[in-house]
Amino acid sequence: MHCVKKVKEDIYYVGGSDRRLGLFENVYPIPYGITYNSYLLMDDKKVLMDTVDRSISQQFLENIEYVLGNESLDYLVIQHMEPDHCSMVSCLLQRYPDLKIVGNMQVKKMLKQFFDLNLDNYLEVKENDTLNTGRHTLKFISAPMVHWPEVMMTYDAYDKVLFTADAFGSFGTMDGNLFDDEVNFKSEWLSEARRYYTNIVGKYGPQVLNVLPTLDIELLAPLHGPLHRSDIEWYVEKYQKWASYEPEDKGVLILYGSVYGNTENAANVLANELSSRGVKNLKVYDVSKTHPSYLIAEAFRCSHLVTACVTYNSGIFVNMEHLLHDLKAHNLQNRTVALMENGSWACSAGKQMKDFFEGMKNMRVLEEKVTLASSMKEAQQKDVEALADAIVCSMENE
Ligand code: FEO
Protein backbone atom coordinates (compact mmCIF):
# COMPACT_ATOMS: atom_id res chain seq x y z
CA MET A 1 0.00 0.00 0.00
CA HIS A 2 1.27 3.47 -0.85
CA CYS A 3 2.28 5.75 2.02
CA VAL A 4 2.81 9.25 0.64
CA LYS A 5 2.27 12.80 1.79
CA LYS A 6 1.81 16.05 -0.09
CA VAL A 7 4.43 18.47 1.22
CA LYS A 8 3.80 21.41 -1.13
CA GLU A 9 1.24 22.19 -3.79
CA ASP A 10 2.89 19.98 -6.42
CA ILE A 11 5.42 18.05 -4.34
CA TYR A 12 4.91 14.65 -2.72
CA TYR A 13 7.06 12.79 -0.22
CA VAL A 14 7.61 9.29 -1.64
CA GLY A 15 10.42 8.08 0.65
CA GLY A 16 10.14 5.93 3.74
CA SER A 17 11.63 4.71 6.99
CA ASP A 18 13.93 1.81 7.84
CA ARG A 19 13.64 0.62 11.43
CA ARG A 20 15.57 -2.63 10.90
CA LEU A 21 19.04 -1.41 10.02
CA GLY A 22 21.44 -1.52 12.96
CA LEU A 23 24.39 0.44 11.63
CA PHE A 24 24.09 3.26 9.11
CA GLU A 25 26.97 3.04 6.62
CA ASN A 26 27.84 -0.11 8.61
CA VAL A 27 29.39 2.22 11.20
CA TYR A 28 26.86 4.38 13.05
CA PRO A 29 24.30 2.90 15.45
CA ILE A 30 20.81 4.12 14.60
CA PRO A 31 18.61 3.07 17.52
CA TYR A 32 15.81 5.26 16.19
CA GLY A 33 16.17 4.09 12.57
CA ILE A 34 16.63 6.23 9.48
CA THR A 35 14.55 7.65 6.64
CA TYR A 36 15.45 7.78 2.99
CA ASN A 37 13.65 10.81 1.63
CA SER A 38 12.60 11.19 -1.96
CA TYR A 39 10.30 13.79 -3.48
CA LEU A 40 8.12 13.69 -6.58
CA LEU A 41 7.30 16.96 -8.34
CA MET A 42 4.02 16.68 -10.25
CA ASP A 43 4.25 19.56 -12.71
CA ASP A 44 3.71 19.37 -16.48
CA LYS A 45 6.86 17.29 -16.31
CA LYS A 46 7.11 14.73 -13.52
CA VAL A 47 10.41 14.94 -11.69
CA LEU A 48 11.74 12.64 -8.98
CA MET A 49 14.35 14.06 -6.62
CA ASP A 50 16.73 11.18 -5.82
CA THR A 51 15.80 7.57 -5.12
CA VAL A 52 16.15 5.61 -1.87
CA ASP A 53 18.04 2.74 -0.30
CA ARG A 54 17.04 -0.67 -1.59
CA SER A 55 15.81 -1.64 1.89
CA ILE A 56 12.60 0.34 1.29
CA SER A 57 12.35 -0.35 -2.45
CA GLN A 58 8.86 -1.83 -2.44
CA GLN A 59 7.36 1.07 -0.52
CA PHE A 60 9.15 3.55 -2.75
CA LEU A 61 7.95 1.99 -6.00
CA GLU A 62 4.36 1.76 -4.77
CA ASN A 63 4.52 5.41 -3.70
CA ILE A 64 5.76 6.60 -7.08
CA GLU A 65 3.24 4.49 -8.97
CA TYR A 66 0.39 5.87 -6.86
CA VAL A 67 1.36 9.53 -7.20
CA LEU A 68 2.04 9.24 -10.93
CA GLY A 69 -1.26 7.51 -11.63
CA ASN A 70 -1.44 7.19 -15.41
CA GLU A 71 1.45 9.56 -15.98
CA SER A 72 5.00 8.57 -16.69
CA LEU A 73 8.16 9.75 -14.99
CA ASP A 74 10.07 12.32 -17.07
CA TYR A 75 13.14 13.18 -15.00
CA LEU A 76 15.18 11.75 -12.14
CA VAL A 77 17.42 14.37 -10.54
CA ILE A 78 20.39 12.76 -8.80
CA GLN A 79 21.82 15.10 -6.21
CA HIS A 80 23.99 12.52 -4.45
CA MET A 81 25.37 9.19 -5.62
CA GLU A 82 25.80 7.43 -2.28
CA PRO A 83 23.89 4.14 -2.59
CA ASP A 84 21.45 5.00 0.19
CA HIS A 85 19.98 7.42 -2.37
CA CYS A 86 20.72 5.95 -5.77
CA SER A 87 20.18 2.21 -5.38
CA MET A 88 16.91 2.35 -7.34
CA VAL A 89 18.22 4.05 -10.48
CA SER A 90 18.43 0.89 -12.61
CA CYS A 91 15.04 -0.27 -11.48
CA LEU A 92 13.44 3.07 -12.41
CA LEU A 93 15.06 3.05 -15.83
CA GLN A 94 13.56 -0.39 -16.47
CA ARG A 95 10.11 0.78 -15.38
CA TYR A 96 10.24 4.13 -17.15
CA PRO A 97 12.42 3.63 -20.25
CA ASP A 98 12.04 7.26 -21.39
CA LEU A 99 13.23 8.56 -18.03
CA LYS A 100 15.93 11.18 -18.35
CA ILE A 101 18.54 11.32 -15.61
CA VAL A 102 19.61 14.81 -14.57
CA GLY A 103 22.91 15.31 -12.79
CA ASN A 104 26.32 16.87 -13.02
CA MET A 105 29.44 15.49 -14.63
CA GLN A 106 30.61 13.72 -11.47
CA VAL A 107 27.24 12.01 -11.05
CA LYS A 108 27.53 10.63 -14.58
CA LYS A 109 31.00 9.31 -13.81
CA MET A 110 29.84 7.65 -10.61
CA LEU A 111 26.75 6.17 -12.29
CA LYS A 112 29.13 4.37 -14.62
CA GLN A 113 31.22 3.22 -11.66
CA PHE A 114 28.27 1.83 -9.70
CA PHE A 115 26.11 0.49 -12.53
CA ASP A 116 26.14 -0.74 -16.10
CA LEU A 117 23.70 1.74 -17.57
CA ASN A 118 22.98 3.21 -20.95
CA LEU A 119 23.36 6.92 -20.27
CA ASP A 120 22.41 8.22 -23.73
CA ASN A 121 19.45 9.89 -22.08
CA TYR A 122 21.55 11.78 -19.54
CA LEU A 123 21.00 15.52 -19.07
CA GLU A 124 24.21 17.00 -17.69
CA VAL A 125 23.81 20.17 -15.64
CA LYS A 126 26.23 22.63 -14.10
CA GLU A 127 26.12 25.19 -11.32
CA ASN A 128 23.10 27.53 -11.72
CA ASP A 129 21.67 25.63 -14.68
CA THR A 130 17.90 25.39 -14.63
CA LEU A 131 15.25 22.89 -15.65
CA ASN A 132 11.79 24.21 -16.42
CA THR A 133 9.04 21.71 -15.70
CA GLY A 134 5.96 23.88 -16.34
CA ARG A 135 5.08 26.10 -13.38
CA HIS A 136 8.34 25.24 -11.63
CA THR A 137 11.92 25.96 -12.54
CA LEU A 138 14.56 23.93 -10.75
CA LYS A 139 17.93 25.55 -10.24
CA PHE A 140 20.96 23.40 -9.49
CA ILE A 141 23.53 24.48 -6.91
CA SER A 142 26.84 22.64 -6.52
CA ALA A 143 27.58 21.47 -2.99
CA PRO A 144 30.83 19.52 -3.37
CA MET A 145 31.89 17.45 -0.33
CA VAL A 146 28.55 17.84 1.40
CA HIS A 147 29.03 14.89 1.68
CA TRP A 148 30.63 13.53 -1.51
CA PRO A 149 32.23 15.51 -4.37
CA GLU A 150 29.31 15.20 -6.79
CA VAL A 151 26.67 16.55 -4.40
CA MET A 152 24.36 19.31 -5.55
CA MET A 153 21.30 20.95 -4.08
CA THR A 154 18.23 22.04 -6.02
CA TYR A 155 16.14 25.16 -5.52
CA ASP A 156 12.54 25.42 -6.59
CA ALA A 157 11.71 29.14 -6.51
CA TYR A 158 8.00 28.51 -7.24
CA ASP A 159 7.42 26.71 -3.94
CA LYS A 160 10.52 28.15 -2.22
CA VAL A 161 11.84 24.67 -1.53
CA LEU A 162 15.52 23.86 -1.22
CA PHE A 163 16.28 20.18 -1.75
CA THR A 164 19.42 19.92 0.36
CA ALA A 165 20.78 16.40 -0.27
CA ASP A 166 22.51 15.14 2.92
CA ALA A 167 22.67 18.62 4.48
CA PHE A 168 20.11 19.36 7.22
CA GLY A 169 19.43 15.63 7.58
CA SER A 170 19.13 13.56 10.71
CA PHE A 171 19.15 10.00 11.94
CA GLY A 172 15.72 8.79 13.10
CA THR A 173 12.53 7.67 11.41
CA MET A 174 9.50 9.76 10.59
CA ASP A 175 6.53 8.20 12.32
CA GLY A 176 3.70 9.74 10.34
CA ASN A 177 4.84 13.28 11.11
CA LEU A 178 7.15 14.62 8.44
CA PHE A 179 7.79 18.21 9.44
CA ASP A 180 9.96 19.73 12.15
CA ASP A 181 6.96 21.52 13.64
CA GLU A 182 5.10 18.22 14.02
CA VAL A 183 7.80 16.76 16.29
CA ASN A 184 9.76 18.13 19.23
CA PHE A 185 12.75 18.86 17.02
CA LYS A 186 14.70 21.10 19.38
CA SER A 187 14.32 18.85 22.43
CA GLU A 188 14.07 15.36 20.94
CA TRP A 189 15.76 15.48 17.54
CA LEU A 190 18.62 17.93 17.80
CA SER A 191 21.09 15.49 19.37
CA GLU A 192 20.53 12.95 16.57
CA ALA A 193 20.69 15.71 13.93
CA ARG A 194 23.99 16.85 15.45
CA ARG A 195 25.32 13.28 15.55
CA TYR A 196 24.30 12.85 11.91
CA TYR A 197 25.90 16.12 10.79
CA THR A 198 29.13 15.84 12.77
CA ASN A 199 29.83 12.24 11.84
CA ILE A 200 28.68 12.26 8.22
CA VAL A 201 29.58 15.76 7.05
CA GLY A 202 31.57 17.19 9.99
CA LYS A 203 34.93 16.88 8.27
CA TYR A 204 33.82 19.25 5.52
CA GLY A 205 32.93 22.40 7.47
CA PRO A 206 34.38 24.92 4.97
CA GLN A 207 32.46 23.31 2.12
CA VAL A 208 29.25 23.39 4.17
CA LEU A 209 29.76 27.08 4.98
CA ASN A 210 30.07 27.77 1.23
CA VAL A 211 26.59 26.49 0.49
CA LEU A 212 24.58 27.50 3.53
CA PRO A 213 21.35 28.86 2.11
CA THR A 214 20.81 32.56 1.60
CA LEU A 215 17.79 32.01 -0.65
CA ASP A 216 14.16 32.74 0.11
CA ILE A 217 13.20 29.38 1.60
CA GLU A 218 9.94 28.03 3.01
CA LEU A 219 10.99 24.39 3.13
CA LEU A 220 14.29 22.57 3.56
CA ALA A 221 13.89 19.10 2.08
CA PRO A 222 16.83 16.87 3.09
CA LEU A 223 17.49 13.25 2.17
CA HIS A 224 17.17 12.03 5.77
CA GLY A 225 14.93 12.99 8.66
CA PRO A 226 12.34 15.73 9.10
CA LEU A 227 11.54 18.44 6.57
CA HIS A 228 12.06 21.92 7.96
CA ARG A 229 9.50 24.67 7.51
CA SER A 230 9.58 26.45 10.86
CA ASP A 231 12.55 28.21 12.39
CA ILE A 232 14.75 27.52 9.38
CA GLU A 233 17.00 30.38 10.47
CA TRP A 234 17.65 28.67 13.83
CA TYR A 235 18.67 25.43 12.10
CA VAL A 236 20.90 27.24 9.60
CA GLU A 237 22.60 28.96 12.56
CA LYS A 238 23.27 25.55 14.13
CA TYR A 239 24.90 24.50 10.87
CA GLN A 240 26.97 27.67 10.84
CA LYS A 241 28.30 26.80 14.31
CA TRP A 242 28.99 23.17 13.51
CA ALA A 243 30.60 23.96 10.17
CA SER A 244 32.80 26.67 11.75
CA TYR A 245 33.86 24.26 14.52
CA GLU A 246 32.59 26.74 17.10
CA PRO A 247 31.26 25.10 20.27
CA GLU A 248 27.52 25.33 20.79
CA ASP A 249 27.76 25.27 24.58
CA LYS A 250 30.26 26.49 27.10
CA GLY A 251 30.55 23.12 28.81
CA VAL A 252 32.91 20.35 29.86
CA LEU A 253 32.94 16.91 28.29
CA ILE A 254 34.93 14.36 30.30
CA LEU A 255 36.00 11.29 28.36
CA TYR A 256 37.74 8.50 30.21
CA GLY A 257 39.48 5.29 29.20
CA SER A 258 39.74 3.10 32.28
CA VAL A 259 40.55 -0.59 32.64
CA TYR A 260 39.80 -1.33 36.31
CA GLY A 261 37.93 1.81 37.34
CA ASN A 262 40.74 3.87 38.88
CA THR A 263 40.95 6.39 36.05
CA GLU A 264 37.16 6.46 36.00
CA ASN A 265 37.26 7.34 39.70
CA ALA A 266 39.59 10.27 39.07
CA ALA A 267 37.33 11.48 36.23
CA ASN A 268 34.37 11.40 38.61
CA VAL A 269 36.33 13.31 41.26
CA LEU A 270 37.17 15.99 38.68
CA ALA A 271 33.52 16.23 37.61
CA ASN A 272 32.58 16.66 41.26
CA GLU A 273 35.14 19.43 41.73
CA LEU A 274 33.95 21.21 38.58
CA SER A 275 30.36 21.00 39.77
CA SER A 276 31.41 22.45 43.15
CA ARG A 277 32.84 25.38 41.23
CA GLY A 278 29.49 26.03 39.54
CA VAL A 279 30.04 24.24 36.22
CA LYS A 280 26.69 22.93 35.00
CA ASN A 281 25.62 20.33 32.47
CA LEU A 282 28.77 18.27 32.85
CA LYS A 283 28.96 15.10 30.82
CA VAL A 284 31.16 12.08 31.64
CA TYR A 285 31.52 9.20 29.19
CA ASP A 286 33.40 5.88 29.18
CA VAL A 287 35.07 5.69 25.75
CA SER A 288 34.84 1.89 25.88
CA LYS A 289 31.10 1.97 26.44
CA THR A 290 29.70 4.77 24.32
CA HIS A 291 29.98 4.55 20.54
CA PRO A 292 32.45 7.15 19.19
CA SER A 293 29.76 8.75 17.01
CA TYR A 294 28.00 10.03 20.14
CA LEU A 295 31.30 11.33 21.57
CA ILE A 296 32.18 13.13 18.34
CA ALA A 297 28.80 14.88 18.43
CA GLU A 298 29.35 15.83 22.07
CA ALA A 299 32.85 17.13 21.31
CA PHE A 300 31.39 19.37 18.58
CA ARG A 301 28.86 20.65 21.15
CA CYS A 302 31.17 21.40 24.12
CA SER A 303 33.84 24.07 24.51
CA HIS A 304 36.09 22.04 26.85
CA LEU A 305 37.25 18.45 26.68
CA VAL A 306 38.96 16.40 29.37
CA THR A 307 40.58 13.16 28.33
CA ALA A 308 41.47 10.84 31.22
CA CYS A 309 43.35 7.77 30.12
CA VAL A 310 45.49 4.86 31.22
CA THR A 311 48.81 4.06 29.58
CA TYR A 312 48.31 0.86 27.59
CA ASN A 313 50.97 -1.07 25.66
CA SER A 314 53.19 1.98 26.30
CA GLY A 315 50.65 4.10 24.45
CA ILE A 316 47.22 5.65 24.77
CA PHE A 317 44.46 3.24 25.85
CA VAL A 318 43.19 1.66 22.66
CA ASN A 319 39.61 2.99 22.69
CA MET A 320 40.79 6.49 23.61
CA GLU A 321 43.36 6.38 20.82
CA HIS A 322 40.66 5.34 18.37
CA LEU A 323 38.47 8.20 19.52
CA LEU A 324 41.28 10.77 19.21
CA HIS A 325 41.92 9.66 15.63
CA ASP A 326 38.21 9.93 14.92
CA LEU A 327 38.06 13.46 16.36
CA LYS A 328 41.00 14.47 14.19
CA ALA A 329 39.49 12.80 11.12
CA HIS A 330 36.33 14.83 11.66
CA ASN A 331 38.42 17.99 11.77
CA LEU A 332 37.43 19.00 15.31
CA GLN A 333 39.20 22.22 16.27
CA ASN A 334 38.98 25.31 18.49
CA ARG A 335 38.63 23.48 21.79
CA THR A 336 40.38 23.67 25.16
CA VAL A 337 41.65 20.33 26.43
CA ALA A 338 42.67 19.13 29.90
CA LEU A 339 44.51 15.88 30.51
CA MET A 340 44.51 13.16 33.17
CA GLU A 341 46.79 10.17 32.84
CA ASN A 342 47.37 6.93 34.71
CA GLY A 343 50.06 4.27 34.59
CA SER A 344 51.23 1.62 37.02
CA TRP A 345 54.65 1.95 35.41
CA ALA A 346 56.13 4.15 32.67
CA CYS A 347 53.09 6.47 32.59
CA SER A 348 53.10 8.31 29.25
CA ALA A 349 49.48 8.59 28.07
CA GLY A 350 49.31 12.30 29.03
CA LYS A 351 52.31 13.30 26.94
CA GLN A 352 51.09 11.25 24.02
CA MET A 353 47.60 12.76 24.19
CA LYS A 354 49.12 16.26 24.44
CA ASP A 355 51.23 15.63 21.33
CA PHE A 356 48.16 14.31 19.54
CA PHE A 357 45.98 17.31 20.36
CA GLU A 358 48.79 19.70 19.44
CA GLY A 359 48.80 18.06 16.01
CA MET A 360 45.16 19.12 15.55
CA LYS A 361 44.01 22.61 14.56
CA ASN A 362 43.63 25.28 17.26
CA MET A 363 43.48 22.95 20.24
CA ARG A 364 44.66 24.57 23.48
CA VAL A 365 46.03 22.05 25.99
CA LEU A 366 46.09 23.29 29.57
CA GLU A 367 49.43 23.09 31.37
CA GLU A 368 47.86 21.65 34.50
CA LYS A 369 47.62 17.88 34.35
CA VAL A 370 46.77 15.04 36.75
CA THR A 371 49.08 12.04 36.86
CA LEU A 372 48.08 8.90 38.75
CA ALA A 373 50.12 5.84 39.58
CA SER A 374 47.52 3.05 39.58
CA SER A 375 44.87 4.77 41.71
CA MET A 376 44.02 8.22 42.98
CA LYS A 377 45.26 9.03 46.51
CA GLU A 378 44.75 12.02 48.79
CA ALA A 379 48.05 13.37 47.49
CA GLN A 380 46.51 13.88 44.04
CA GLN A 381 43.42 15.70 45.31
CA LYS A 382 45.21 19.04 45.09
CA ASP A 383 46.21 18.26 41.49
CA VAL A 384 42.59 17.52 40.58
CA GLU A 385 41.51 20.75 42.27
CA ALA A 386 44.19 22.68 40.39
CA LEU A 387 42.98 21.17 37.12
CA ALA A 388 39.37 22.07 37.97
CA ASP A 389 40.48 25.65 38.75
CA ALA A 390 42.35 25.87 35.44
CA ILE A 391 39.35 24.62 33.48
CA VAL A 392 36.99 27.06 35.19
CA CYS A 393 39.44 29.93 34.65
CA SER A 394 39.69 29.04 30.98
CA MET A 395 35.88 28.89 30.67
CA GLU A 396 35.57 32.33 32.24
CA ASN A 397 38.21 33.87 30.02
CA GLU A 398 37.13 32.48 26.65
FE1 FEO B 1 22.63 9.84 2.87
FE2 FEO B 1 25.86 10.70 1.91
O1 FEO B 1 24.23 9.73 1.89
Side-chain angles (χ1 to χ4, degrees):
M1 178 66 184
H2 59 82
C3 185
V4 304
K5 192 169 266 186
K6 196 170 190 170
V7 296
K8 276 284 183 184
E9 190 186 330
D10 300 320
I11 302 175
Y12 293 79
Y13 180 90
V14 291
S17 292
D18 182 351
R19 298 181 181 84
R20 291 192 171 193
L21 185 69
L23 295 175
F24 182 69
E25 291 188 359
N26 212 13
V27 179
Y28 306 105
I30 43 170
Y32 310 112
I34 186 96
T35 68
Y36 303 106
N37 299 345
S38 172
Y39 308 91
L40 184 49
L41 170 63
M42 294 293 287
D43 200 354
D44 295 346
K45 297 291 183 188
K46 317 301 179 230
V47 184
L48 185 68
M49 303 299 299
D50 295 293
T51 79
V52 296
D53 188 82
R54 66 164 69 91
S55 60
I56 61 161
S57 56
Q58 188 176 337
Q59 182 69 74
F60 173 67
L61 293 171
E62 283 190 46
N63 288 350
I64 293 175
E65 208 167 292
Y66 170 74
V67 176
L68 284 175
N70 294 324
E71 308 278 355
S72 189
L73 190 58
D74 297 295
Y75 294 104
L76 164 63
V77 175
I78 299 183
Q79 302 185 108
H80 183 18
M81 272 300 297
E82 195 164 8
D84 54 332
H85 307 296
C86 75
S87 71
M88 298 299 292
V89 174
S90 301
C91 179
L92 288 178
L93 283 171
Q94 281 166 13
R95 286 189 167 220
Y96 307 101
D98 296 328
L99 177 64
K100 208 168 236 182
I101 297 180
V102 182
N104 58 30
M105 196 172 61
Q106 293 100 318
V107 164
K108 190 174 187 181
K109 181 167 175 268
M110 286 191 184
L111 274 171
K112 288 180 187 163
Q113 290 173 196
F114 276 104
F115 308 107
D116 284 319
L117 294 175
N118 177 350
L119 295 178
D120 291 347
N121 234 356
Y122 189 85
L123 177 60
E124 189 173 310
V125 293
K126 302 184 298 300
E127 171 80 358
N128 292 330
D129 279 358
T130 57
L131 175 68
N132 183 267
T133 61
R135 290 178 297 284
H136 299 249
T137 299
L138 301 177
K139 181 176 173 182
F140 304 107
I141 303 161
S142 298
M145 301 318 298
V146 186
H147 139 233
W148 279 14
E150 83 294 358
V151 170
M152 63 181 193
M153 298 183 184
T154 306
Y155 182 60
D156 171 12
Y158 181 83
D159 269 335
K160 299 183 179 172
V161 177
L162 182 65
F163 297 95
T164 60
D166 271 347
F168 301 102
S170 178
F171 295 132
T173 56
M174 305 313 300
D175 303 330
N177 300 128
L178 272 186
F179 297 97
D180 58 343
D181 54 19
E182 297 176 324
V183 298
N184 296 318
F185 189 81
K186 290 183 184 176
S187 60
E188 291 178 15
W189 278 79
L190 180 60
S191 58
E192 281 297 86
R194 183 190 298 111
R195 189 166 70 92
Y196 170 84
Y197 170 82
T198 55
N199 284 278
I200 305 297
V201 196
K203 178 180 173 63
Y204 306 110
Q207 290 88 340
V208 172
L209 286 176
N210 279 339
V211 294
L212 281 182
T214 52
L215 302 156
D216 185 11
I217 294 168
E218 287 182 0
L219 182 68
L220 293 174
L223 289 175
H224 299 286
L227 286 64
H228 293 263
R229 65 183 177 189
S230 74
D231 232 344
I232 288 174
E233 204 176 316
W234 170 85
Y235 199 28
V236 171
E237 277 170 20
K238 284 283 174 205
Y239 259 65
Q240 262 155 354
K241 280 236 147 130
W242 297 337
S244 323
Y245 305 99
E246 292 301 325
E248 266 172 276
D249 298 332
K250 196 163 263 201
V252 184
L253 170 67
I254 302 177
L255 306 163
Y256 70 81
S258 184
V259 178
Y260 292 107
N262 293 308
T263 308
E264 175 185 7
N265 169 241
N268 283 328
V269 173
L270 176 67
N272 198 31
E273 288 298 331
L274 287 166
S275 177
S276 301
R277 285 159 176 74
V279 179
K280 293 180 178 163
N281 300 316
L282 288 153
K283 284 290 191 184
V284 181
Y285 291 96
D286 182 337
V287 298
S288 297
K289 177 74 187 297
T290 304
H291 190 273
S293 62
Y294 292 88
L295 305 180
I296 284 167
E298 284 288 73
F300 270 71
R301 183 180 67 78
C302 293
S303 59
H304 287 65
L305 315 183
V306 178
T307 52
C309 182
V310 294
T311 306
Y312 198 79
N313 286 332
S314 305
I316 301 168
F317 180 59
V318 57
N319 291 334
M320 180 66 82
E321 187 174 29
H322 178 193
L323 176 64
L324 296 187
H325 281 285
D326 238 0
L327 290 172
K328 188 174 185 179
H330 286 82
N331 218 357
L332 183 75
Q333 46 195 282
N334 302 327
R335 297 297 187 274
T336 299
V337 179
L339 304 173
M340 304 175 87
E341 63 179 346
N342 196 353
S344 296
W345 74 98
C347 181
S348 65
K351 162 126 188 18
Q352 294 184 61
M353 289 193 292
K354 181 170 190 281
D355 291 345
F356 194 93
F357 282 119
E358 286 178 347
M360 294 169 66
K361 285 183 202 154
N362 299 328
M363 301 295 270
R364 299 168 294 280
V365 181
L366 296 177
E367 283 302 315
E368 293 79 359
K369 179 177 74 173
V370 172
T371 298
L372 308 176
S374 302
S375 66
M376 186 173 164
K377 302 288 191 304
E378 281 300 326
Q380 278 100 41
Q381 177 65 27
K382 65 175 185 338
D383 298 339
V384 174
E385 290 173 7
L387 189 61
D389 286 338
I391 293 168
V392 169
C393 178
S394 146
M395 292 177 83
E396 288 169 352
N397 292 329
E398 282 175 16

